[in-house]
Each structure stands twice: as structure tokens, then as C-alpha cells.
Amino acid sequence: MHGAFADSSGWYGAMDRLRKDGYPVRAASNPLRGLPSDSAYVRDFLNSIKGPIILAGHSYGGEVITNAAAGDPDVKALVYVAASVPDVGESLADLTAHLVDHPATPLPLQEVEFTKPDGTQANDVYIDRAKFREVFAADVNPTVAAGMADAQEPIDLAALNQTATAAAWKTIPSWYLVAKQDQAISPDLERWMAKRIGAHTVEIDSSHAAMVSHPGAIADLVEQADRGTS
């Protein structure tokens, strides 16, 4: 499950490796319209899959899988990749505000107003394209990172303050990948979240876009989660 400013194509490298190792894979599209509706959308997607599921989420996608997987008996493991992992009643803004020794610099966001289907006004946010690679994908090939910047999927600004209503990690075993060079989420905050949820944790020298720059590490972590819950 991708997060804000990304799309499902970021998982392609890890998916290719998992297919070669015999795993069936699916990548859900995250609508990025708000935590309640995004979670409901992903829960319906999970209901369409038969058999045990290892559910992975990156960045804001971590919040979505935390909500969506709660109570789903088919989800046997959660894999968080440089992800936000809330407890019940916490929002992305709450997590970002948590005090750590080395906090991340606020992202260079740009707002674009849009009209919702009901006629009300809202705001999407994007990362400034000129700074996208620096803060999101510093170790990604510059040409690939430029494409990611130009094709980034925005998130509704309201989603940043919407709170989790469930915490699947309380009942489902979790794995967490800390991106030690992350400029979007503080690595210290990632470590704190991973420790709080009792996740099996690995750390790699990666930017925020770890699934793009280190697909092998992501595939390895998914396979660790499979072996650890078999």
C-alpha cells in the first residue's frame, strides 16, 4: 500500500522479486482522500483476496493498513516500510509532533484547491517538485525520481488530521523497516513507532522511498514476515 505523493508502481521491484520466489502479489491503489474512506476502500480490496495475506504499507499507507486490517482473520502479518503507525485516536499530525532527538524538517508542501463532488472546497497537497528528490527519493536514480515528482499523487490535506479508529498491530505480528536516511519521516520517529508496536525491525541506509531504491530489502522483509508467521 503506497502512501502520499507516490503510487503503486513504487512496489514493482519488490513485487518482481517476490513473484520469482513464488509469492502471488497484489498492489492496491490508495485513494488518498481521507483515512476513514481510504481504510474502507482497502478493507474491501482485502476482502476480494482469498487466503492468508501479508499486508505492507509505506508512509501514510502504514496508517491505512493499521486501520484496514483490524479484525481481518486473513491478514497474518503487517510490514511497515518507513511508515506512520498510529494508535487508536492518533493522526499523522500527532505522530509528526511526537518529540524525538532528531526530528525531520517539515516537508516543502504546495497546496492546490479542488472542488469535491458535493461542491465543497478542499485542498490537495504535493511536495514541491524541485525538492522532491532531496526529501523523498535522494538515493533513487535522478531520472526515475524526476518521473516520480511529476506523477506524484496528492493527498487531501484533511487526511493529515484524521485519527485512527483501530490498531491492527495490537493483534497482528508486525515487521518494520527503518530508512536511516529518511528526510520525510524522522528515522528516530520510525524507531520509536517500531518499538512501540513491538515490531521485528531492520534498518537500511535508504531514503524515504525505500521500496524504490531497495526493492530487495523490502522483498526480504516480506519473506521474513511469512516465515515468522507460518
Side-chain angles (χ1 to χ4, degrees), residues 1 13 19 21-22 30 44-45 50 84 86 91 108 121 124 126-127 139 154 184 188 200 206 211-212 219:
M1 169 61 52
R19 286 192 196 95
D21 288 341
N30 188 347
D44 287 343
F45 177 82
K50 305 303 179 184
S84 298
S91 67
Q121 299 300 115
D124 269 343
Y126 298 79
I127 293 176
D139 57 351
D188 282 352
H200 306 271
S206 175
M211 67 290 188
V212 180

Side-chain angles (χ1 to χ4, degrees), residues 89-221:
E90 288 181 337
S91 67
L92 178 59
D94 293 328
L95 291 171
T96 302
H98 180 79
L99 295 178
V100 293
D101 288 341
H102 303 95
T105 301
L107 289 173
L109 300 178
Q110 297 178 328
E111 295 186 22
V112 176
E113 190 175 63
F114 71 97
T115 303
K116 293 186 174 183
D118 64 2
T120 59
Q121 299 300 115
N123 288 283
D124 269 343
V125 287
Y126 298 79
I127 293 176
D128 181 347
R129 290 169 51 251
K131 299 178 181 178
F132 182 92
R133 184 169 185 260
E134 174 186 346
V135 301
F136 197 92
D139 57 351
V140 173
N141 174 279
T143 301
V144 174
M148 292 170 62
D150 290 342
Q152 62 182 294
E153 296 285 344
I155 187 169
D156 188 324
L157 183 62
L160 307 184
N161 290 296
Q162 292 171 333
T163 58
T165 57
W169 51 264
K170 292 185 176 181
T171 57
I172 301 173
S174 301
W175 277 253
Y176 196 108
L177 183 140
V178 174
K180 293 194 292 184
Q181 305 304 322
D182 202 329
Q183 298 298 310
I185 300 177
S186 164
D188 282 352
L189 181 58
E190 293 176 11
R191 294 183 184 104
W192 175 79
M193 290 186 287
K195 182 178 180 180
R196 181 173 70 159
I197 69 175
H200 306 271
T201 304
V202 301
E203 299 195 8
I204 65 172
D205 282 317
S206 175
S207 70
H208 189 58
M211 67 290 188
V212 180
S213 57
H214 294 84
I218 307 307
D220 287 346
L221 194 60

Side-chain angles (χ1 to χ4, degrees), residues 23-34:
Y23 289 89
V25 293
R26 297 284 303 279
S29 179
N30 188 347
L32 303 175
R33 297 297 84 196

